[in-house]
């Protein structure tokens, strides 16, 4: 580790940061429209084409935390960390089946959030509220983890001083970064991260392409890298008394690997920010095309994961695994290109954090404020509230990271994945059938949430008593598996059983405001805009 501040790397980092800041504010003029509409501010006017959507979704899903945490997992435990690669492969055929349907019905009825659709489909504000609250709770720690990525970069560059430095001086760079993020998100809405995503993804592809060629050459080739990694993983971890990891998942860990990959694939597009980026597209065909080209990011993710092995082979020693990859870049690259790599990670935090804060704000505005506090809110009032809440969400995430241990944010993000998966039956189920009963869906959601939270609370690790991981023994099987998937299966079982019971009891099922043809409607179809309900007509572009 180099002593002091890496001035060259910091200068390059600041250059790119200032460039994207200017772009963020200029984005307000891009396809300029009336930002008093939530459709315009929160969904970019639902006007993005294939490539803008591709960069936006990529910037949304492949975050600074991905850049830091996936190879860090490989660095810490070996090939078990590769679960992120198969789950991003599984997710795209899955979303090809339901995202175009969600886009169509949302465009037809002016839905801005998943909870809007759930309320309209099932006729239940209670179920809609449950989905909204789950989305907000799951998103908050996700935003906080983007700060972890930026902090890792700042720490390696030597910015902010050491642990003994005054807290304000130490955290000032982070405060400035998110102050700027908050300002241009407030001003430009979703257009800001959409425009910045071009820079972010271009930098990431350049950095990974260089890293995957340049670093192995310096380390003697992949044979030496894997040999050194295998030797390191075979050493005993004093905290557990077991080998540190493995180059391939051992048989006992295969259930964990498979269920984590499957559960993560099911959960990824339940997150509000994923749906926000999706609904910003101008047609259902844009969504279909994106599901076919987004796997290019999975290729990038696989190469990114290999950096974990390279960090071991390079002899990187860090007490915090999140610093492993920034430190690898610092050690291996010339200072100027290390600055480019750090900028890729830093900007990789700003883009998703902006989208996530907008998505959480939209959920609060449409499904809590408008549904329960001010039902007669005008589009301008909705937009104003959403802008303010997006600021509060960022402040909350910032306070979360600055006042709590970083592992707490990571644990809550793992818990968020378990929670958000429980919204799958109401959302995806509703896109294909209305057989389920709304009260059964709410009960299934509650059972999944309670089981998932309690089970995760009971997981210990060598460093903490609770929330030490996201895997536990699957009841009845005796295998260790992903808690979120087990909770999801319980959720579905409860929903199905109660649906039979409630239908037999002829319980009221609520009013479905959608029609079968709504799920295949496209932007150019006659009557799409005309059918918008009065409450949302003013918000439609």
């Amino acid at each position: 580790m180099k002593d002091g501040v890496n001035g060259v790397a910091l200068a390059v980092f600041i250059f790119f940061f200032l460039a994207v800041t200017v772009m963020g504010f200029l984005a307000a003029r891009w396809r300029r429209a009336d930002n008093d509409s939530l459709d315009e501010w929160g969904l970019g006017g639902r006007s993005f084409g294939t490539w803008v959507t591709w960069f936006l979704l990529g910037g949304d899903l492949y975050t600074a935390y991905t850049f830091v945490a996936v190879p860090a997992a490989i660095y810490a435990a070996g090939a078990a960390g590769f679960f992120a690669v198969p789950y991003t492969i599984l997710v795209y055929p899955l979303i090809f089946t339901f995202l175009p349907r969600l886009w169509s019905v949302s465009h037809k009825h002016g839905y801005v959030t998943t909870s809007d659709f759930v309320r309209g489909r099932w006729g239940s504000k209670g179920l809609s509220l449950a989905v909204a609250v789950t989305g907000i709770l799951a998103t908050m720690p996700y935003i906080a983890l983007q700060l972890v990525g930026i902090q890792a970069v700042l720490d390696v560059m030597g910015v902010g001083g050491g642990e003994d430095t005054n807290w304000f001086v130490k955290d000032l760079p982070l405060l400035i970064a998110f102050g700027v993020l908050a300002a241009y998100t407030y001003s430009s809405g979703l257009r800001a991260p959409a425009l910045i995503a071009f820079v972010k993804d271009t930098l990431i592809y350049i950095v990974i392409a260089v890293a995957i060629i340049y670093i192995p050459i310096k380390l003697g080739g992949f044979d030496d890298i894997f040999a050194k990694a295998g030797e390191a993983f075979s050493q005993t971890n004093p905290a557990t008394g077991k080998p540190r990891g493995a180059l391939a998942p051992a048989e006992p860990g295969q259930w964990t690997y498979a269920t984590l990959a499957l559960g993560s694939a099911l959960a990824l597009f339940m997150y509000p920010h994923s749906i926000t980026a999706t609904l910003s597209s101008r047609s259902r065909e844009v969504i279909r095309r994106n599901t076919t080209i987004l796997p290019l990011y999975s290729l990038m993710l696989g190469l990114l994961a290999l950096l974990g092995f390279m960090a071991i082979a390079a002899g990187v020693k860090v007490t915090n695994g999140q610093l492993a990859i920034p430190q690898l870049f610092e050690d291996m690259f010339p200072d100027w290109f290390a600055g480019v790599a750090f900028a890729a990670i830093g900007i990789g935090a700003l883009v998703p954090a902006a989208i996530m804060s907008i998505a959480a704000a939209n959920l609060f505005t449409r499904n809590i404020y408008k549904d329960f506090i001010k039902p007669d809110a005008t589009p301008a009032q909705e937009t104003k509230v959403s802008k303010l809440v997006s600021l509060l969400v960022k402040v909350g995430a910032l306070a979360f990271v600055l006042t709590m241990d970083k592992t707490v944010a990571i644990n809550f993000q793992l818990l968020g994945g378990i929670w958000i998966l429980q919204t799958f039956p109401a959302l995806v189920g509703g896109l294909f059938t209305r057989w389920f009963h709304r009260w059964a869906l709410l009960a299934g959601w509650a059972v999944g949430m309670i089981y998932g939270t309690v089970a995760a609370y009971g997981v210990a690790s060598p460093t903490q008593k609770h929330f030490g991981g996201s895997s536990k023994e699957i009841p009845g099987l005796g295998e260790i598996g992903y808690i979120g998937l087990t909770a999801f299966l319980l959720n579905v079982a409860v929903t199905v059983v109660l649906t039979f019971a409630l239908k037999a009891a002829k319980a009221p099922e609520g009013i479905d405001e959608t029609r079968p043809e709504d799920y295949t409607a496209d932007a150019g179809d006659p009557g799409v805009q005309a059918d918008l309900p009065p409450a949302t007509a003013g918000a439609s572009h």
Side-chain angles (χ1 to χ4, degrees):
M1 182 177 289
K2 300 174 183 176
D3 295 327
V5 176
N6 187 333
V8 175
L10 179 60
V12 174
F13 179 87
I14 291 174
F15 168 78
F16 280 106
F17 183 82
L18 291 176
V20 298
T21 297
V22 172
M23 290 178 67
F25 285 109
L26 289 179
R29 301 172 179 269
W30 180 36
R31 300 178 179 179
R32 191 166 187 167
D34 177 16
N35 263 9
D36 281 343
S37 160
L38 203 56
D39 262 18
E40 293 295 341
W41 183 83
L43 291 180
R46 303 183 193 253
S47 62
F48 297 148
T50 300
W51 288 110
V52 176
T53 302
W54 186 70
F55 278 105
L56 185 62
L57 279 168
D60 193 7
L61 304 176
Y62 298 89
T63 67
Y65 184 64
T66 306
F67 207 126
V68 169
V70 170
I74 306 293
Y75 172 84
F82 270 100
F83 83 92
V85 178
Y87 103 65
T88 60
I89 294 170
L90 288 171
V91 74
Y92 297 119
L94 176 69
I95 63 174
F96 184 85
T97 64
F98 74 83
L99 275 193
R101 294 178 66 84
L102 178 62
W103 184 93
S104 290
V105 71
S106 298
H107 189 88
K108 179 85 172 179
H109 292 274
Y111 298 148
V112 174
T113 68
T114 51
S115 292
D116 282 351
F117 165 71
V118 167
R119 183 194 62 237
R121 178 61 154 164
W122 302 107
S124 171
K125 284 188 177 181
L127 184 58
S128 170
L129 178 64
V131 172
V133 170
T134 305
I136 293 169
L137 288 176
T139 301
M140 286 293 289
Y142 218 149
I143 300 172
L145 284 183
Q146 305 316 309
L147 288 167
V148 172
I150 290 185
Q151 278 191 322
V153 168
L154 295 175
D155 285 349
V156 170
M157 285 193 295
V159 177
E163 291 300 324
D164 297 330
T165 307
N166 175 279
W167 73 268
F168 181 77
V169 174
K170 178 176 174 57
D171 295 320
L172 183 59
L174 201 58
L175 294 170
I176 293 172
F178 267 68
V180 171
L181 167 69
Y184 67 61
T185 304
Y186 187 93
S187 169
S188 305
L190 194 65
R191 286 179 171 83
L195 195 58
I196 296 170
F198 284 94
V199 177
K200 173 251 185 189
D201 289 349
T202 300
L203 286 177
I204 286 180
Y205 270 106
I206 290 171
V207 169
I208 292 176
V210 171
I212 209 71
I213 297 170
Y214 179 77
I215 295 178
I217 291 173
K218 291 196 70 174
L219 294 176
F222 278 103
D223 283 351
D224 283 355
I225 289 172
F226 287 124
K228 290 177 181 176
E231 183 181 339
F233 288 137
S234 66
Q235 296 175 2
T236 301
N237 183 340
T240 62
K242 298 178 181 179
R244 172 180 163 183
L247 285 176
E251 187 174 343
Q254 289 174 3
W255 269 84
T256 304
Y257 186 91
T259 55
L260 188 56
L262 178 58
S264 299
L266 294 174
L268 185 59
F269 273 81
M270 298 302 101
Y271 279 102
H273 55 278
S274 302
I275 300 302
T276 295
T278 300
L279 296 185
S280 68
S281 305
R282 68 176 173 225
S283 73
R284 64 182 276 122
E285 198 56 37
V286 166
I287 303 302
R288 292 164 63 89
R289 283 196 292 267
N290 263 276
T291 59
T292 64
I293 58 178
L294 275 168
L296 286 172
Y297 281 102
S298 299
L299 173 63
M300 179 268 289
L301 188 62
L303 298 176
L304 174 64
L306 293 175
L307 296 178
F309 293 137
M310 296 179 199
I312 294 172
V316 171
K317 302 292 184 185
V318 290
T319 54
N320 177 1
Q322 309 302 323
L323 299 177
I325 302 312
Q327 191 59 54
L328 174 69
F329 292 159
E330 171 97 341
D331 293 346
M332 292 286 106
F333 289 146
D335 288 346
W336 71 270
F337 195 76
V340 174
F342 294 153
I345 298 175
I347 298 168
L350 298 179
V351 171
I355 304 170
M356 290 170 189
S357 65
I358 290 169
N362 288 346
L363 278 171
F364 176 85
T365 301
R366 290 297 291 258
N367 309 115
I368 297 177
Y369 176 75
K370 185 174 174 65
D371 279 353
F372 294 96
I373 300 173
K374 190 173 176 59
D376 60 345
T378 65
Q381 289 172 328
E382 286 182 17
T383 306
K384 183 177 180 180
V385 169
S386 201
K387 287 181 175 182
L388 292 173
V389 172
S390 76
L391 293 178
L392 292 176
V393 166
K394 293 185 193 71
V395 171
L398 188 61
F400 190 87
V401 168
L402 296 182
T403 58
M404 291 188 174
D405 187 89
K406 305 301 177 291
T407 57
V408 175
I410 295 169
N411 293 337
F412 274 104
Q413 197 275 332
L414 293 173
L415 190 58
I418 295 170
W419 288 341
I420 202 67
L421 183 52
Q422 308 318 310
T423 64
F424 192 98
L427 175 60
V428 179
L431 289 169
F432 294 95
T433 179
R434 205 174 182 274
W435 180 79
F436 299 117
H437 195 282
R438 55 182 178 160
W439 296 347
L441 285 165
L442 191 56
W445 166 84
V447 168
M449 291 286 284
I450 293 169
Y451 171 82
T453 305
V454 172
Y457 180 81
V459 176
S461 73
T463 57
Q464 56 202 72
K465 291 183 179 180
H466 304 295
F467 298 116
S470 57
S471 297
K472 195 173 185 178
E473 184 174 314
I474 303 171
L477 283 181
E479 300 284 354
I480 303 298
Y482 178 44
I483 292 169
L485 193 59
T486 306
F488 169 73
L489 293 175
L490 283 173
N491 180 346
V492 172
V494 169
T495 299
V496 170
V497 170
L498 284 183
T499 293
F500 276 114
L502 290 166
K503 284 181 176 291
K506 301 189 184 309
E509 297 193 22
I511 298 172
D512 179 9
E513 69 180 27
T514 70
R515 298 192 297 263
E517 59 269 24
D518 296 347
Y519 295 87
T520 55
D522 210 340
D525 292 351
V528 168
Q529 299 298 324
D531 285 351
L532 288 176
T536 58
S540 178
H541 74 288

